[in-house]
Amino acid sequence: MARPYSQRAREQLNATSADDILLVLLEIRHPQLAVPVRVVNDTQNIVVEGNEFIACAFDVTLPDDSDNQVPQARLEIDNIGRELTQWLEQSGGGAGATCRFIQVMRSTPNLIEYDITLDLTGLSMDQTKVSGTLGYVDFLNQPAVTVYYRPETAPALF
């Protein structure tokens, strides 16, 4: 699916020496977070939609194109603050968290070029990184019932 970038953003993306850059912002939401975690993959903070995004390095590995599996991306955030670590411990691994990716040009931070929200699962941390899996919950391949009536689960019926 093509991303609906503005003309200015397309020109800067295709330029060999761009004078403006496209910033990637990350917003992690969870019911136990009073304020969402907001970071920008840059060296300086930025304000978008009235919210300040803190400069912090993170890396996203895009999903591979394999058959018979749900596409999932991988997110790694530098573990530089105790707030993210404390929340991860208190929330039982961040179950139910969502992750919103936003792209804006540095010169026009109030014009959102791209916006997507994904489920954030499988969070883990070590001394240097907080990692998680991005994607959607695969509801279509889950069983409709929890117990199947088969000879091994309900022998009296057979």
Side-chain angles (χ1 to χ4, degrees):
M1 178 171 105
R3 295 181 182 166
Y5 289 120
S6 66
Q7 180 65 30
R8 170 92 172 127
R10 284 193 306 261
E11 289 172 0
Q12 294 302 310
L13 284 170
N14 292 325
T16 55
S17 180
D19 58 347
D20 198 5
I21 61 169
L22 194 64
L23 299 175
V24 180
L25 294 81
L26 177 69
E27 182 178 76
I28 300 174
R29 293 184 176 270
H30 188 271
Q32 290 185 352
L33 284 173
V35 178
V37 175
R38 294 183 177 106
V39 293
V40 59
N41 201 3
D42 197 16
T43 57
Q44 51 188 307
N45 298 355
I46 190 170
V47 176
V48 175
E49 295 180 335
N51 300 311
E52 183 177 17
F53 287 78
I54 308 300
C56 177
F58 61 87
D59 187 37
V60 177
T61 305
L62 297 176
D64 57 355
D65 192 18
S66 301
D67 290 337
N68 300 325
Q69 75 175 20
V70 177
Q72 294 180 333
R74 188 86 182 139
L75 172 67
E76 293 181 342
I77 305 171
D78 284 353
N79 191 2
I80 59 169
R82 297 202 40 84
E83 296 83 12
L84 192 59
T85 304
Q86 289 172 350
W87 163 71
L88 196 56
E89 290 172 351
Q90 292 172 355
S91 66
T98 59
C99 183
R100 178 182 178 204
F101 281 96
I102 306 166
Q103 287 183 320
V104 297
M105 299 297 294
R106 180 178 284 156
S107 62
T108 56
N110 292 323
L111 175 64
I112 294 177
E113 298 288 345
Y114 186 73
D115 188 352
I116 188 170
T117 302
L118 302 166
D119 294 322
L120 182 59
T121 58
L123 286 167
S124 63
M125 68 178 170
D126 61 18
Q127 294 175 345
T128 59
K129 302 252 184 225
V130 175
S131 304
T133 303
L134 296 167
Y136 297 108
V137 177
D138 188 16
F139 289 117
L140 297 177
N141 288 325
Q142 291 181 352
V145 295
T146 56
V147 177
Y148 291 100
Y149 292 104
R150 294 183 276 193
E152 54 275 351
T153 59
L157 294 177
F158 294 93

